[in-house]
Each structure stands twice: as C-alpha cells, then as structure tokens.
C-alpha cells in the first residue's frame, strides 16, 4: 500500500458522509494503529448541500491534512461525482452510487458502480445505512483498513440501538465488494 | 498627629445634629424639605440647625442628603 | 462621630464626584442602610456597575466592587454569581446603561431569574456625557440630542422586568428615600432576580434643559409625577398620563438560576460517563 | 491503567475541551457560532460532571463579561467564538487586560469580513487578535496546527493566562477546529498546571495592583476576605481610578513589560529543516502543515527550503525571524489572508532578505503544490 492514501467521500448533506469519514479514520488511527486525519467541507445548510468528507491515512505523521490527489473516491450524487472525479488519481478508485449517479466520466477498470441507496432501502428499509454499506464496499475493495478495525469503529461510533443494523450493513458492503471484484 | 474634625456638632438636650461641611455641596435639599424648618443656609448655602429645638428627629435630612454630610444622632467614636 | 454609612464606604473617595443634589448619593445611602439592616458580612458582598454617573457607586463602597463596561454589569455579575452562588451580588445601573445598551442583558437576567439585585437609578437622561436623551426620557422632554423635544416612547422598566420574569419588582424615588431603602432591603433579601427602579434627579443635565433650575425643584417635580399604587389605581387613564406609579409590583417565589443549575450538576453526575 | 496510553480520535474543538478540562477549567460562557460551537457543546456536557458551570449567554458580549466575572470569583474560565463574535468580545477583552483577569478566549477563524464564510477557514484575524481591542495593550495569542497541539496549547493558554494575569487568545482556524486526528490525552499527573498567585499579606495590607518583581500582582478572588475595587479606568495600586500621569505611565508600561520580560517563556516556535536552508517558509495553523509538506516536496527537487512554524503568534518572534533573515535569501509567508503576518516578518527581517507574501482568501486551505509553485516562481526572479 502507498505511504499516504487519500480518500474522498462525497455527496450531499444528510447522507452521513462525515460520520463515514470519522469511522474510517478511527478504524485506521485507533484500531489499525496508523496515522489518520479526517476533515470535511460543507456548506451552511445542514441537509441537502454539497458535502465532502476527507480521510488521509498514512504510516507516518501526516503533514498536509487534506486530499491533494484522491486515491479513493465515493460519489453519492451526480454533482459530487462530476466535481471530484477531476481530482482522482490516474490509478484511483471510484465507487459511485448507480441509483443516483447515471453519468460516469472516464470509466476505467477501477470504476465500480452499485445501486447503494436502493439496496439500503430494499434490504434495511432505510437509506440511513447507505454510508455504512459504502464503507463496507470501500474496505472490501481496497483493504484501506482491516475488516476488524472498521467493524470496531462502526460499533464505537453508531448509537447502541443502531449497532446491529449497521453491522449488518457493513457485512453486506463486504459481500458486495466481493461480487464487484469477481465481475471485473 | 492632629486629626481634622470632620463634623460640626450641634446639640440640645434631646437631639444632636452633625454637619460634615467638607462633604456638603450646598444643594439645599435638607433645608428645603425639613418638615420643621430646623435648618437654615449659611453664607455658602450649607445647613446650620438654627432651630434645633424644633427638630423631631425624623431623619429626612440625613436620608435625602446625597453627600452623607448631615446626620441626626450618630455613633460616638474616638478615632476619626 | 461616626454614622452607619461610615462603616460601609471608602472614605478616601469622598466627597463624591457627583454634582450638588444628585440623586445617586441618595440611592447610595438607601442601599447602605438596607444592607446594614440585613447585617450582611461585607466580605460576602459584591457590587457591580456599568458606566455612567451612577456606576461610580461601586467605587465608594467597601465591598468587592467592579466598575465594568457600559451596559454589561449584569452579565459580569451573572458570571460572579454562577461561580460563587453564596456571594451576595448587587448590580447598580443607570437608565441608559440598563435599558439602552444593556437592555438585552436586563431582560435575559430576569428571564433566567439569576439571584442578583438590580438597582436602576433612573434620572431619565445620560448625565455623564452631557444630557442626551435615554430610553427612559419622558416623551416631549428635552435633552442635548432632543433639542426639539423627545419623540420616543419610553420603556416602563418595571413592566419590562415583570414580563421578562423577575421575582421581585419595585419602584421608588429619591424623594421618598426611606421607602426606597425598604424596597431595596426586600429586593436584596429576595432569592432570584430582583429589580428596584429609583426615580432620581439630574439637576445639571435634565433639570437645566427642562426648566428645573435646582435640585430642590427636581425633587419637587419627582414628588409631583409619582403616585403610590393605591392612588394610581383610583386614577383615570387620562390622569395617569405623565405619572409614574411607585411601590412593590412583583414579589413571587421562583427557583433561581444557581439552584436550577445544581439540578443540572446532579443530573450530569448521575449519568456518569467521562468524569475526567 | 496509568501506563496505558489514552489515545482517541478527536475533533479539534473536542481536543480544546479536553485541554481546558485538564487545565482545571470550571466555567464556560458562550454563544453559538460556527465553527466553534462544538467547544460550547462539549463544555455544556462535561463541566457539570465535574461540578463546573456552563452558561449560554444572550450574546458574545455577555459571554465575555460572564467569563471575566467568574474568573474574578476564582474559577478558571473559557469562552469560544469565531470572527463575528470575536468582534463583539473586544471591549470586554480590553477590560480583562486592564484589570489583569485571567481567561482564555478561543477564536476558530472563518472567512470574513462580517458573516463572511461561516463554514470555511481563514487566517484573517491575526491582526485583530493583536489590535482588536482599543488602546495600547499587550496580548498573548497561540496558534496550534494539529489537533494534538490544540490540546497542549489550550493547557499552555490557561497556564500563561494564570501566570501572567492576562487573557490569552487561542487562534484556531476552521480546518483544525473541525478536523479529527489521533490525540494522546495525557494523564492529569503528567501535565503542568499553573494557578494564579494569591496574596500573602493580610487583607488590610493588600494592594491588588502592586506588582511583584515579575511584574505580576498577586490576585485575590472575590469572596476571600480581600475587598477591593476593579475598574476599567486606569487605576492605582489600590485599584482606584487615577489621573496621576506618573501612575498612569507606570501602569501601562508594566502591563506591556510583564509580557515582554517573559518573552522567552511565552514564545513557542518549531524549526523544520532550517539549518541549511536558503529559502524559509514562515507559517502557523493549518497552513503550517501545507508548508511542511512543501518543504519535503522542495527538498526532493534539491531546493534548500525550511519551515519556521509559529505556535505563539503574539508576541511575535521578531528575534528569531531576524536571525533567519540573515541566514536565508528568501522568506515566503503563506497565509489565508492577503498579508498580515508578512507585515510582521518584513518588520522583523529589517531588509536582510527578500520577503514575499503568498495569500489565499477563497475559503480553501492553501495546498503544498501552490506554495511550491510560488517558490519556483520566486527563484526565477
């Protein structure tokens, strides 16, 4: 793995991207013992505005805390995809929610499409777990953090009541990743 | 060291009225509103209890004095 | 010779800086006499003021005293009271200080019902800066910034405090100094936010611009424009015009802010967690 | 448990809360404002657990006032805000300075002027931190650049504030205030906590504004038997207003001198690859982290670039900058404004080397590549 990995989770406010970023950073930083920084960029509106959560993971001390060139991009809206795909590394991975993102530019063998929101709604009856399924897919595809670490991080950051459903959502994400990989 | 006397004391058998002339600013409130006209102004407008025998010790002069310059009664004290 | 007053003042600060006949000194006397009757320990009293002639009061009393910024005495006092609820905190303000620049703090202190006593010396003008009109200058009266007469409607500070939730609200005058002192005493003794407005005179700024040449003229005017609650109730609406009612308006028992916060501490500690 | 490290992923604002609690904070008054609100939220949750007090005031002015009042009554006190709120706190900040009342004020900088960019970072308040309140006064301002530094500098801020009897400003920016990083929370026994000097004389002999040799007067809290006066007017040793020009002069000079004479204790800086540098970057806050990466990138290209990172921004480290100016050919000052710190750097350099600003004001953090671009551009000149 690269010394420094830069992950950008993008979409709109209310999709739980900031929480997803926190969970990813906690998995890397606390449970995998690496260095990690999570930051975000958001507009003034609490819901609906453009939202971007960034995570930098490294084996060494992290100087610049923001994404310079994205290694892993999650896009949960078309706008976010259009905007942030430009900053994707040449060999960077793109995971887009095909329910919403219908036009994906520069499809490469590292582009993955999956109807994440739709699956969340179908399997769990709520779109709220879209972020956790996405995390499961990302971890399954990239091994950016260990599966044990992300499981622990999810459990520590979601409310006790929602623990079970989120754990299931994460596992579903892992399985989706497996399918996506075999398809390639 | 000789201390300056702060109050000028006026008294008869039943009442003692003290005036702290250095703090008095001659506003005239005590004189005007004394119900028994006990006080008269001196040449600077500061109160002198000329009719002290008429005093009923209501204390209104003391209560209304903005400068704590007049007192009816008061506590005896050695060091000042 | 020594008076009650002498036990509570910083003598080196006297004679005070106020103009001859200024009501500030009368209110200062009323406050001190009230405290003396309550037999409070001077070490436990904190007096806080803002800016203006009346705010100089804190310099004259031998307590822990704080002459703060314009309009902000109440929030400073709120911090002191929150930190040490056992301290007895008195806040002295002028009318401009309390109702204009400090108006927001005033209603919020009342809303919280924080255990402070606010004494507002209302001389209906900004005295220190030269007689500009304040939110309590009566409509039609003159000020250096109201050379053609004041068109603003005035606040009724007592009603404002009542509406905002104060536990004790009263109004006195410097003319009725004895009554004012007893209203202040009751306010000081009251748990919760207590307010006493004292109608006062400013012979130099207000008096001169409104055809009252001397302190005596002003006190007579105050006597004329104020009526007791009993008299007030018998007046017609027309007769009430231009008059101010004095006396006690609110005296209720309501849990004060520090007491309520004790509940928060208890709740937070029972919930445990990060005790640090 | 003691030998086990307490490592957490904390947001910058949360680290500030932890640092304040470790410093012994017992009072917080504040008003909600982005991007500092998490500090108020953390305080509201945690202070009552330790018997401390939190209050949400009606505005920023009141918050600053309440903090000063609580400190006078003996509690270590904190408030947190951002630019617009900082503007409102200025008058009472001056009151705390002239009365030498310890307290810590956090300003998580966002874009300005006015409402500006509520959710985006800026370093536009550096000069406001220095000169925001009126009058000729000293100030201490600290500027962390990592979440861990937010924790340690919050502790420093409280310590300086108690030691020198002065308000201390902790200048964050939106990036570090909202970012999350690994933080090692020290055990209470592992940190130094300084408390204000108390008077040693009986109340009748106490002169609240008579300084000790270090220029700092011992401070009696209200309610401890020492009755005295506090006023925003210039005051004498007794705390009473004075118009004596000698007393006034001595007082104002002492306020400055108590900070000035302890400058070695107060100024905290970090030198990164400066020993052989020919080009220096000077930066603080989140920008310092971009600059650190720039140094690495530049070194890969063989450029002898180093970084002077400031953790104390006021008082300014003029001596260090002057020495650096004699060593290097070029100093570049990247900052999220159009030239504030660069003015101080120019002043301190005294013409000994070229000083070039690099400003960005679009609400985005300066990135390492653009600083590197600036270096390349300047070398060609």
């Amino acid at each position: 793995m690269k010394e420094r990995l830069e992950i950008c989770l993008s979409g709109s406010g209310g999709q739980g991207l900031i929480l997803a970023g926190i969970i990813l950073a906690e998995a890397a930083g606390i449970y995998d013992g690496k260095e990690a920084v999570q930051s975000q960029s958001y507009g003034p509106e609490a819901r609906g505005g453009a939202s971007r959560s960034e995570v930098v993971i490294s084996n060494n001390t992290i100087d610049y805390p923001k994404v310079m060139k994205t290694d892993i991009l999650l896009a949960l809206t078309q706008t976010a995809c259009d905007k942030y795909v430009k900053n994707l590394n040449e060999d960077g991975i793109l995971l887009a929610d095909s329910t919403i993102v219908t036009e994906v530019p520069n499809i490469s063998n590292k582009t993955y499409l999956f109807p994440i929101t739709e699956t969340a709604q179908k399997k769990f009856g709520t779109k709220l777990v879209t972020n956790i399924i996405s995390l499961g897919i990302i971890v399954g595809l990239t091994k950016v953090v260990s599966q044990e670490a992300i499981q622990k991080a999810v459990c520590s950051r979601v409310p006790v009541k929602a623990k079970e459903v989120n754990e299931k959502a994460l596992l579903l994400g892992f399985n989706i990743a497996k399918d996506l990989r075999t398809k390639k | 060291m000789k201390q300056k006397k702060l109050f000028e004391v006026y008294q008869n058998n039943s009442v003692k009225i003290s005036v702290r002339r250095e703090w008095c600013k001659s506003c005239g409130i005590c004189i005007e509103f004394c119900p028994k006209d006990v006080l008269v102004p001196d040449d600077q407008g500061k109160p002198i209890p000329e009719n002290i025998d008429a005093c009923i010790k209501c204390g209104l002069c003391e209560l209304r004095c903005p400068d704590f310059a007049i007192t009816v009664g008061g506590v005896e004290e050695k060091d000042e | 010779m020594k008076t009650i007053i002498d036990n509570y003042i910083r003598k080196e600060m006297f004679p005070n800086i106020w103009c001859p006949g200024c009501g500030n000194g009368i209110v200062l006397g009323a406050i001190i006499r009230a405290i003396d009757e309550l037999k409070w320990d001077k070490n436990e009293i904190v007096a806080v003021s803002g800016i203006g002639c009346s705010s100089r009061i804190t310099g004259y009393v031998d307590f822990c005293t704080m002459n703060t910024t314009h309009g902000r005495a109440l929030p400073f006092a709120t911090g002191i009271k929150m930190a040490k609820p056992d301290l007895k905190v008195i806040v002295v303000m002028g009318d401009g200080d309390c109702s204009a620049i400090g108006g927001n703090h005033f209603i919020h202190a009342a809303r919280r019902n924080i255990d402070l006593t606010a004494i507002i010396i209302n001389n209906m003008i900004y005295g220190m800066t030269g007689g500009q009109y304040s939110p309590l200058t009566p409509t039609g009266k003159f000020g250096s910034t109201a050379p053609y007469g004041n068109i603003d409607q005035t606040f009724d500070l007592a009603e404002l405090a009542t509406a905002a939730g104060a536990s004790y609200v009263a109004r006195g005058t410097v003319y009725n100094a004895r009554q004012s002192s007893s209203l202040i005493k009751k306010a000081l003794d009251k748990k919760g936010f207590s307010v006493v407005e004292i109608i006062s005179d400013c012979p130099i700024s207000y008096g001169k611009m409104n055809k009252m040449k001397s302190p005596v003229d002003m006190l007579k005017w105050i006597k004329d424009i104020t009526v007791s609650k009993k008299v007030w109730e018998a007046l017609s609406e027309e007769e009430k015009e231009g008059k101010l009612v004095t006396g006690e308006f609110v005296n209720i028992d309501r849990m004060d802010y520090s007491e309520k916060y004790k509940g928060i501490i208890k709740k937070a500690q029972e919930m445990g967690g990060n005790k640090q | 448990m003691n030998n086990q490290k307490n490592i957490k992923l904390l947001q910058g604002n949360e680290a500030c809360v932890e640092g304040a609690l470790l410093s012994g904070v017992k009072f917080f008054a504040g008003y909600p404002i982005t991007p500092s609100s998490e500090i108020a939220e953390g305080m509201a949750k945690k202070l009552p657990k330790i018997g401390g007090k939190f209050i949400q005031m009606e505005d920023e002015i009141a918050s600053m006032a309440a903090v000063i009042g609580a400190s006078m009554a003996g509690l270590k006190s904190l408030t947190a805000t951002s630019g617009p709120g900082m503007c409102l706190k200025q008058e009472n900040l001056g009151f705390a300075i002239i009365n030498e009342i310890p307290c810590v004020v956090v300003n998580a900088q966002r874009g300005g002027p006015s409402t500006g960019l509520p959710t985006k970072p800026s370093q536009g308040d550096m000069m406001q931190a220095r000169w925001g309140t009126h009058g000729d006064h000293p100030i201490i301002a600290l500027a962390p650049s990592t979440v861990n530094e937010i924790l340690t500098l919050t502790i420093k801020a409280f310590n300086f504030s108690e030691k020198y009897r002065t308000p201390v400003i902790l200048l964050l920016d939106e990036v570090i205030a909202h970012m999350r990083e690994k933080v090692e929370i020290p055990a209470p026994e592992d940190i130094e906590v300084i408390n204000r000097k108390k008077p040693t004389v009986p109340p009748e002999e106490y002169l609240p504004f008579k300084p000790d040799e270090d220029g700092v007067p011992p401070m009696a809290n209200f309610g401890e038997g020492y009755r005295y006066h506090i006023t925003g007017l210039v005051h004498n040793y007794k705390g009473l207003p004075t118009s004596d020009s000698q007393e006034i002069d001595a007082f104002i000079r002492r306020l400055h001198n108590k900070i000035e004479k302890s400058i070695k204790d107060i100024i905290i800086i970090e030198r990164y690859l400066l020993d052989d540098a020919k080009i220096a970057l000077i930066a603080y806050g989140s920008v310092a982290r971009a600059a650190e990466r720039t140094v690495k990138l530049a070194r890969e290209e063989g450029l002898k670039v180093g970084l002077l990172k400031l953790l104390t921004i006021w008082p300014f480290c003029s001596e260090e900058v002057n020495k650096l100016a004699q060593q290097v050919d070029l100093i570049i000052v990247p900052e999220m404004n159009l030239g504030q710190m660069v003015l101080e750097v120019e002043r301190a350099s005294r013409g000994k080397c070229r000083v070039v600003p690099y400003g960005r004001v679009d609400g985005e953090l300066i990135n390492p590549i653009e600083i590197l671009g600036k270096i390349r551009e300047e070398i060609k000149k």
Side-chain angles (χ1 to χ4, degrees):
Chain A
M1 196 185 283
K2 281 169 75 177
E3 183 255 319
R4 178 184 162 113
L5 266 175
E6 304 188 341
I7 301 121
C8 176
L9 311 173
S10 70
S12 72
Q15 288 181 316
L17 292 165
I18 290 172
L19 179 63
I22 295 169
I23 290 170
L24 192 56
E26 189 151 287
I30 305 297
Y31 301 109
D32 275 348
K34 295 183 180 178
E35 294 301 325
V37 185
Q38 181 274 337
S39 64
Q40 60 259 316
S41 172
Y42 64 104
E45 56 281 82
R47 296 286 177 272
S51 170
R52 176 178 101 217
S53 179
E54 300 181 7
V55 182
V56 177
I57 298 171
S58 173
N59 293 320
N60 302 310
T61 310
I62 295 167
D63 41 43
Y64 187 62
K66 294 263 181 185
V67 167
M68 287 158 65
K69 204 83 180 140
T70 312
D71 296 301
I72 302 166
L73 173 66
L74 169 72
L76 293 185
T77 64
Q78 185 69 52
T79 319
C81 187
D82 295 345
K83 193 170 172 189
Y84 300 119
V85 83
K86 291 174 201 153
N87 197 38
L88 190 62
N89 244 331
E90 276 169 31
D91 59 347
I93 292 169
L94 166 67
L95 170 65
D97 186 340
S98 57
T99 325
I100 306 159
V101 184
T102 48
E103 284 175 47
V104 179
N106 314 321
I107 293 190
S108 74
N109 64 342
K110 294 211 168 178
T111 304
Y112 297 91
L113 297 168
F114 192 81
I116 311 172
T117 312
E118 199 184 303
T119 308
Q121 185 68 47
K122 263 190 206 157
K123 300 255 176 181
F124 299 98
T126 171
K127 288 178 191 168
L128 285 176
V129 291
T130 305
N131 58 347
I132 303 297
I133 299 175
S134 305
L135 275 184
I137 302 174
I138 289 170
V139 172
L141 287 175
T142 64
K143 311 277 181 256
V144 60
V145 295
S146 68
Q147 294 199 350
E148 298 75 42
I150 196 86
Q151 272 167 322
K152 282 183 192 162
V154 166
C155 291
S156 86
R157 284 283 175 172
V158 301
V160 181
K161 274 193 289 184
K163 209 176 115 181
E164 211 184 311
V165 63
N166 278 292
E167 274 185 294
K168 280 183 184 162
L170 189 69
L171 288 177
L172 177 66
F174 293 161
N175 289 331
I176 295 168
K178 246 184 243 166
D179 292 347
L180 287 171
R181 281 159 79 105
T182 38
K183 270 186 209 160
K184 287 272 159 172
Chain B
M1 199 176 87
K2 206 179 170 188
Q3 295 257 318
K4 211 170 169 185
K5 204 175 167 193
L6 273 171
F7 285 96
E8 276 178 14
V9 181
Y10 305 83
Q11 57 187 347
N12 63 13
N13 289 335
S14 64
V15 67
K16 181 169 74 181
I17 299 172
S18 312
V19 179
R20 190 149 32 185
R21 290 181 61 85
E22 274 185 42
W23 289 10
C24 174
K25 294 182 191 140
S26 314
C27 69
I29 289 174
C30 59
I31 300 166
E32 175 67 26
F33 295 103
C34 173
K36 295 293 170 189
D37 294 328
V38 171
L39 306 166
V40 294
D42 67 4
D43 53 356
Q44 290 173 49
K46 299 185 181 186
I48 297 172
E50 212 167 75
N51 309 317
I52 193 165
D53 291 343
C55 177
I56 51 168
K57 293 188 269 187
C58 68
L60 283 173
C61 56
E62 182 173 340
L63 291 175
R64 289 206 185 103
C65 174
D67 296 292
F68 310 137
I70 187 165
T71 179
V72 181
V75 190
E76 212 62 55
E77 203 196 40
K78 278 155 216 140
D79 55 325
E80 187 47 84
Chain C
M1 268 303 302
K2 202 174 177 185
T3 66
I4 289 168
I5 302 288
D6 292 353
N7 291 327
Y8 295 91
I9 58 174
R10 295 181 176 131
K11 276 197 187 152
E12 70 266 37
M13 295 288 284
F14 282 82
N16 63 50
I17 62 154
W18 296 314
C19 305
C22 171
N24 288 335
I26 305 175
V27 180
L28 173 55
I31 296 171
I32 289 173
R33 289 179 189 101
I35 288 170
D36 186 68
E37 283 183 30
L38 290 165
K39 303 272 174 281
W40 279 1
D41 179 352
K42 284 194 280 187
N43 285 325
E44 290 175 2
I45 305 171
V46 181
V48 187
S49 62
I51 295 292
C53 296
S54 57
S55 295
R56 291 293 184 125
I57 272 188
T58 47
Y60 297 125
V61 283
D62 183 23
F63 309 133
C64 287
T65 53
M66 204 161 176
N67 170 27
T68 69
T69 48
H70 195 30
R72 319 302 174 194
L74 282 169
F76 277 94
T78 299
I80 295 168
K81 187 71 189 184
M82 282 281 280
K84 278 201 180 134
D86 291 339
L87 291 174
K88 307 193 184 300
V89 186
I90 307 167
V91 181
V92 184
M93 294 171 281
D95 48 306
D97 198 38
C98 170
S99 73
I101 188 165
N104 200 31
H105 308 310
F106 182 67
I107 56 174
H108 287 280
R111 176 180 63 82
R112 288 187 193 103
N113 198 34
I114 183 133
D115 184 25
L116 309 169
T117 298
I119 297 163
I120 300 101
I121 305 180
N122 176 11
N123 62 7
M124 310 179 196
I125 202 101
Y126 287 90
M128 186 161 269
T129 46
Q132 297 81 11
Y133 70 96
S134 90
L136 298 183
T137 303
T139 310
K141 295 290 181 185
F142 295 88
S144 62
T145 48
Y148 309 108
N150 176 30
I151 56 169
D152 287 20
Q153 188 172 312
T154 58
F155 270 136
D156 183 324
L157 218 50
E159 284 193 12
L160 191 63
T162 304
S167 283
Y168 184 90
V169 181
R171 182 185 285 130
T173 74
V174 291
Y175 179 78
N176 283 314
R178 199 190 300 275
Q179 182 204 24
S180 291
S181 195
S182 70
L183 293 172
I184 290 169
K185 184 183 166 190
K186 284 173 86 174
L188 291 173
D189 210 22
K190 186 80 194 174
K191 198 92 179 145
F193 190 64
S194 53
V195 178
V196 185
E197 176 189 2
I198 311 283
I199 307 298
S200 183
D201 63 305
C202 173
I204 298 301
S205 289
Y206 191 85
K208 276 193 180 152
M209 280 183 283
N210 290 287
K211 294 182 181 157
M212 287 174 275
K213 289 198 185 87
S214 69
V216 168
D217 288 348
M218 284 225 70
L219 255 63
K220 284 180 178 168
W221 175 70
I222 289 172
K223 187 188 168 196
D224 287 344
I225 61 161
T226 51
V227 293
S228 68
K229 255 170 84 176
K230 212 174 160 186
V231 173
W232 176 262
E233 276 153 21
L235 294 180
S236 69
E237 286 308 307
E238 255 174 31
E239 288 168 321
K240 282 179 182 168
E241 198 64 39
K243 292 232 188 303
L244 282 162
V245 56
T246 61
E248 188 181 288
F249 309 119
V250 177
N251 189 351
I252 51 167
D253 292 317
R254 193 155 68 89
M255 198 191 276
D256 72 284
Y257 197 79
S258 298
E259 206 55 43
K260 280 191 202 165
Y261 200 83
K262 277 186 198 162
I264 292 286
I265 290 176
K266 196 164 167 267
K267 212 170 183 178
Q269 291 181 346
E270 277 166 6
M271 284 173 75
N274 191 344
K275 267 216 155 182
Q276 200 107 43
Chain D
M1 279 298 279
N2 277 354
N3 49 9
Q4 201 176 338
K5 284 182 179 174
N6 185 9
I7 296 174
K8 282 183 179 167
L9 185 83
L10 288 185
Q11 192 189 48
N13 284 337
E14 292 169 347
C16 180
V17 170
E18 296 302 326
L21 291 169
L22 285 165
S23 311
V25 71
K26 287 282 155 37
F27 185 83
F28 181 98
Y31 188 84
I33 185 168
T34 304
S36 76
S37 298
E38 293 86 358
I39 298 175
E41 290 163 2
M43 284 293 164
K45 194 172 173 189
K46 295 197 169 182
L47 271 176
K49 286 186 192 291
I50 54 161
K53 318 279 173 70
F54 166 91
I55 187 168
Q56 183 169 306
M57 294 299 285
E58 54 272 22
D59 60 33
E60 299 281 4
I61 300 170
S63 304
M64 192 65 217
V67 156
I68 294 169
S71 183
M72 273 313 300
L75 302 189
K76 286 190 183 177
S77 302
L78 175 73
T79 185
T81 187
S82 185
M86 199 64 189
C87 295
L88 292 172
K89 288 186 193 293
Q90 295 298 343
E91 187 193 11
N92 286 338
L93 187 64
F95 185 88
I97 292 168
I98 201 171
N99 282 303
E100 303 177 70
I101 301 171
C103 56
V104 176
V105 180
V106 181
N107 174 4
Q109 294 175 92
R110 68 192 223 187
S114 189
T115 313
L117 302 162
T119 61
K120 293 183 183 297
S122 151
Q123 292 179 322
D125 304 347
M126 182 184 173
M127 285 298 171
Q128 185 204 40
R130 179 67 191 87
W131 301 111
T133 194
H134 79 283
D136 196 18
H137 61 275
I139 195 80
I140 297 174
L142 307 179
S145 73
T146 71
V147 175
N148 210 52
E149 282 170 7
I150 293 179
L151 185 137
T152 55
L153 288 192
T154 302
I155 297 169
K156 276 272 182 211
F158 273 101
N159 284 349
F160 285 159
S161 144
E162 294 282 321
K163 187 173 178 183
Y164 300 111
R165 282 194 64 177
T166 181
V168 175
I169 295 172
L170 189 70
L171 211 56
L172 311 181
D173 59 61
E174 190 277 335
V175 175
I176 54 165
H178 276 164
M179 148 177 117
R180 288 175 179 82
E181 265 182 307
K182 265 164 74 170
V183 174
E184 188 183 336
I185 299 172
E189 59 271 23
D190 291 338
I191 57 165
E192 184 196 23
V193 171
I194 297 173
N195 296 312
R196 64 191 66 169
K197 243 181 347 190
K198 295 288 191 65
T200 49
V201 296
E204 57 276 15
E205 287 169 33
Y206 178 53
L207 291 168
F209 291 94
K210 186 171 187 284
D212 287 346
E213 241 166 61
D214 60 359
V216 183
M219 179 172 172
N221 300 326
F222 280 178
E224 292 179 349
Y226 293 79
R227 299 193 302 273
Y228 64 101
H229 191 51
I230 289 285
T231 174
L233 292 160
V234 173
H235 39 267
N236 58 22
Y237 282 178
K238 284 187 101 171
L240 299 171
T242 179
S243 48
D244 178 307
S245 54
Q246 272 187 324
E247 275 181 352
I248 295 168
D249 183 79
F251 175 71
I252 300 294
R253 284 178 194 279
R254 179 177 66 75
L255 285 185
H256 282 79
N257 289 344
K258 71 174 178 180
I259 305 295
E260 195 56 40
K261 72 204 286 184
S262 299
I263 211 159
K264 284 213 162 67
D265 180 39
I266 297 167
I267 288 185
I268 312 165
I269 48 168
E270 277 175 20
R271 293 166 53 90
Y272 179 64
L273 300 180
L274 273 178
D275 289 348
D276 65 340
K278 286 288 151 207
I279 298 167
L281 304 176
I282 302 182
Y284 71 91
S286 56
V287 176
R289 302 182 63 159
E292 191 183 324
R293 163 114 320 205
T294 306
V295 170
K296 289 173 194 164
L297 296 173
R299 290 266 166 181
E300 282 170 17
E301 290 183 16
L303 296 168
K304 287 190 173 171
V305 181
L307 165 69
L308 179 65
K309 171 171 136 178
L310 311 192
L311 294 147
T312 302
I313 51 170
W314 301 112
F316 192 74
C317 54
S318 303
E319 209 175 296
E320 188 70 26
V321 170
N322 187 265
K323 268 191 241 160
L324 191 59
Q326 295 180 42
Q327 174 198 322
V328 300
D329 304 323
L330 170 68
I331 295 176
I332 296 176
V333 185
E335 48 185 333
M336 286 188 283
N337 59 56
L338 291 183
Q340 296 194 15
M341 182 159 68
V342 70
L343 300 174
E344 285 299 302
V345 174
E346 277 170 358
R347 184 184 58 74
S349 304
R350 294 177 197 281
K352 297 271 163 47
C353 76
R354 212 147 59 84
V355 176
V356 177
Y358 182 76
R360 186 164 176 178
V361 287
D362 62 351
E364 296 293 330
L365 174 58
I366 295 179
N367 76 50
I369 309 294
E370 53 185 319
I371 304 174
L372 186 62
K374 184 70 183 168
I375 292 171
R376 290 194 196 115
E377 181 190 319
E378 289 301 324
I379 295 172
K380 279 186 209 146
K381 280 187 188 167

